[in-house]
């Protein structure tokens, strides 16, 4: 929504970040996909948004893989066609659009056959004959969309068939990881644009079914847990998409845990912080408890989680809310020993906290006495000045 000079400056900056290794090509592609998913909303404020998105893929800009152009959604390509004057560029786009529509028509026929009991191998043979690898993500999106149904029993059967089909296509390399992830990204994007067209009950039903499809894709190892974390951070699908991904992560804890077990401590710390911040935003201790249970924390990590909960409560001026959660989840998520360990850790780190939070000592002392009053700590945990934990 700025002038040409600003856009050129941004392109130069992004190119420099890629050159210096501070941005990777996959990160750039995900950022572009985020814009593609929201192109209709962008167009409300920037009428030329479709043209500007296409321009980012030009050889002159050199910022993104030009192969992404073939993967643009049909609606966006149609908008580009309408905006062009008659001539070779428009004719080329019309040819591409016609090929995309032909592919999707053939895809719909094959998907209908599979849902009626046809063999998945027939889809493989058709994909090989069509020879349109850049459109294969449409198979993923189309299969997911065709499985959605108002009747839950019908959906469950279609879901089973669709997940078996996608697993088959993935195992014989008809679908790549890019195809699968882009297809599911577009599925999230469909939530963002269907809210106004559906009643709240139908929208919830669609959201629940999309959640179920994502959960199945994770359980079939079609989607990695890291993909879920990435699309949630970037808010693919808006608030509806974020809710779907949060629910999927909670329903597939062991798959999400693999990411942290691989040594990616930064993502684990971020997950802990996000869950704590969400608690203070909603003050829903039971929801926090579900998240903690699904994180499968070790005893040491449990103590660390409580300590971070206490620190965040002090920093936000919501110490009572922090203690509310610690008390509500006692016996369910943690023991008195772990709560006591968290207060010990709190005293150990307060010298570091005091630099950014000068009242840290006073607040910690107040919280200790409040915890004793709630039965989270015992009188013997206090020494005579009431300031330290034994």
């Amino acid at each position: 929504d700025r002038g040409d000079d600003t856009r050129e400056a941004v392109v130069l900056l992004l190119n420099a970040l890629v050159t210096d290794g501070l941005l990777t090509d996959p990160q750039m592609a995900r950022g572009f996909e985020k814009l593609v998913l929201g192109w209709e909303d962008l167009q409300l404020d920037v009428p030329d948004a479709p043209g500007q998105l296409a321009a980012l893929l030009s050889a002159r800009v050199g910022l993104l893989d030009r192969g992404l152009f073939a993967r643009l959604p049909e609606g966006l390509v149609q908008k580009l066609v309408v905006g062009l004057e008659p001539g070779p560029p428009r004719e080329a786009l019309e040819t591409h659009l016609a090929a995309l529509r032909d592919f999707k028509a053939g895809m719909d026929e094959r998907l209908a056959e599979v849902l009626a009991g046809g063999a998945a191998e027939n889809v493989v043979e058709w994909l090989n004959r069509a020879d349109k690898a850049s459109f294969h993500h449409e198979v993923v999106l189309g299969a997911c969309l065709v499985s959605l149904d108002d009747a839950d029993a019908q959906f469950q059967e279609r879901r089973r068939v669709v997940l078996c089909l996608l697993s088959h296509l993935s195992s014989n390399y008809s679908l790549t990881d890019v195809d699968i992830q882009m297809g599911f990204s577009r599925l999230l994007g469909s939530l963002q644009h269907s809210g106004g067209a559906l009643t709240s009950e139908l929208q919830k039903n669609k959201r629940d079914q999309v959640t179920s499809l994502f959960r199945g894709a994770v359980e079939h190892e079609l989607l990695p847990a890291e993909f879920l974390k990435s699309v949630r951070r970037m808010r693919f699908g808006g608030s509806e998409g974020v809710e779907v991904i949060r629910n999927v992560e909670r329903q597939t804890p062991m798959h999400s845990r693999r990411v942290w077990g691989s040594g990616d401590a930064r993502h684990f710390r971020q997950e802990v912080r996000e869950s704590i911040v969400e608690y203070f935003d909603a003050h829903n201790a039971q929801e926090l408890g579900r998240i903690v249970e699904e994180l499968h924390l070790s005893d040491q990590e449990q103590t660390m989680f409580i300590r971070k909960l206490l620190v965040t409560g002090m920093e936000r001026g919501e110490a009572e809310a922090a203690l509310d959660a610690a008390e509500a989840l006692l016996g369910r998520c943690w023991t008195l020993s772990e709560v006591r360990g968290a207060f010990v850790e709190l005293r150990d780190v307060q010298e570091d906290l005091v630099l950014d939070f000068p009242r840290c000592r006073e607040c910690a002392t107040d919280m200790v006495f409040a915890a004793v009053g709630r039965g989270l700590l015992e009188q013997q945990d206090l020494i005579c000045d009431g300031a330290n934990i034994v």
Side-chain angles (χ1 to χ4, degrees):
D1 60 353
R2 302 296 181 93
D4 291 341
D5 291 345
T6 302
R7 286 194 289 273
E8 290 177 7
V10 169
V11 168
L12 289 173
L13 172 62
L14 293 175
N15 270 315
L17 292 174
V18 171
T19 301
D20 292 344
L22 300 175
L23 273 180
T24 65
D25 290 338
Q27 287 172 331
M28 287 294 301
R30 284 196 293 269
F32 182 74
E33 179 67 9
K34 168 69 174 178
L35 296 177
V36 168
L37 291 179
W39 75 267
E40 292 175 278
D41 294 332
L42 285 173
Q43 192 178 221
L44 297 176
D45 298 317
V46 186
D48 187 35
Q52 292 191 33
L53 287 173
L56 290 174
L57 298 172
S58 70
R60 182 180 64 85
V61 172
L63 193 59
L64 292 155
D65 181 357
R66 294 183 66 191
L68 290 173
F69 190 92
R71 295 179 178 269
L72 293 178
E74 179 183 342
L76 178 53
V77 177
Q78 174 63 42
K79 197 71 179 179
L80 291 170
V81 169
V82 172
L84 288 176
E85 297 292 333
R90 176 165 179 159
E91 291 172 3
L93 266 185
E94 288 175 334
T95 299
H96 170 77
L97 185 59
L100 174 58
R101 287 172 172 168
D102 286 345
F103 179 87
K104 291 173 70 173
M107 173 192 75
D108 290 341
E109 293 178 8
R110 300 306 177 281
L111 291 176
E113 291 172 1
V114 171
L115 290 174
E121 192 59 31
N122 293 337
V123 180
V124 175
E125 294 174 1
W126 174 75
L127 288 174
N128 290 335
R129 290 196 306 272
D131 193 24
K132 294 289 184 182
S134 58
F135 295 161
H136 283 191
H137 65 283
E138 295 284 357
V139 176
V140 180
L141 175 60
C144 289
L145 290 176
V146 80
S147 72
L148 304 179
D149 195 280
D150 293 342
D152 187 62
Q154 181 87 339
F155 163 70
Q156 293 299 335
E157 175 57 20
R158 290 185 175 186
R159 171 186 181 272
R160 182 191 67 79
V161 173
V162 162
L163 289 173
C164 287
L165 170 65
L166 296 181
S167 295
H168 182 73
L169 296 178
S170 174
S171 64
N172 65 23
Y173 306 106
S174 296
L175 294 179
T176 66
D177 290 344
V178 172
D179 296 326
I180 295 171
Q181 293 179 24
M182 183 170 288
F184 274 94
S185 295
R186 301 281 168 88
L187 181 61
L188 281 181
S190 73
L191 287 173
Q192 192 171 3
H193 301 296
S194 64
L198 300 176
T199 65
S200 58
E201 182 177 353
L202 288 176
Q203 180 67 6
K204 180 181 183 302
N205 187 54
K206 180 177 181 181
R207 185 171 62 242
D208 291 345
Q209 292 185 2
V210 169
T211 299
S212 183
L213 284 167
F214 265 86
R215 186 186 73 241
V218 172
E219 291 170 346
H220 283 69
E221 299 189 348
L222 294 168
L223 290 176
E226 177 53 36
F227 171 76
L228 301 184
K229 297 182 184 302
S230 175
V231 298
R232 193 180 82 167
R233 285 196 300 270
M234 299 185 72
R235 299 185 64 82
F236 279 21
S239 59
E240 294 278 347
V242 170
E243 183 172 352
V244 164
I245 297 303
R246 282 176 176 164
N247 288 333
V248 174
E249 289 179 319
R250 291 165 189 166
Q251 293 170 18
T252 57
M254 296 310 296
H255 291 82
S256 296
R257 187 66 173 155
R258 288 179 192 173
V259 176
W260 303 321
S262 67
D264 196 348
R266 181 175 62 85
H267 284 304
F268 173 65
R269 289 194 299 270
Q270 183 174 355
E271 185 75 12
V272 168
R273 173 157 182 78
E274 286 179 359
S275 62
I276 290 174
V277 170
E278 287 172 14
Y279 163 71
F280 283 105
D281 288 341
H283 291 91
N284 188 334
Q286 297 309 309
E287 179 66 16
L288 178 64
R290 280 192 289 273
I291 296 173
V292 173
E293 288 173 335
E294 291 164 358
L295 288 176
H296 298 280
L297 302 175
S298 65
D299 293 345
Q300 183 178 357
E301 290 168 338
Q302 201 85 274
T303 298
M304 175 272 296
F305 188 98
I306 303 168
R307 188 247 303 165
K308 287 182 176 293
L309 175 71
L310 300 175
V311 171
T312 304
M314 292 194 306
E315 291 175 338
R316 294 172 64 115
E318 297 185 70
E320 289 298 320
L323 292 173
D324 287 343
E327 185 176 6
L329 301 179
L330 184 64
R332 172 183 171 184
C333 294
W334 39 68
T335 64
L336 278 174
S337 176
E338 288 163 344
V339 173
R340 185 175 185 271
F343 275 95
V344 171
E345 287 190 6
L346 177 60
R347 285 301 192 188
D348 289 342
V349 302
Q350 70 179 11
E351 294 303 322
D352 296 326
L353 296 175
V354 77
L355 297 175
D356 298 316
F357 184 30
R359 295 192 62 254
C360 173
R361 294 189 185 90
E362 293 85 348
C363 288
T365 298
D366 292 342
M367 187 175 279
V368 166
F369 279 100
V372 171
R374 290 170 176 258
L376 295 171
L377 296 174
E378 299 178 3
Q379 288 288 341
Q380 66 188 32
D381 291 322
L382 301 174
I383 60 175
C384 59
D385 66 357
N388 293 301
I389 302 294
V390 175

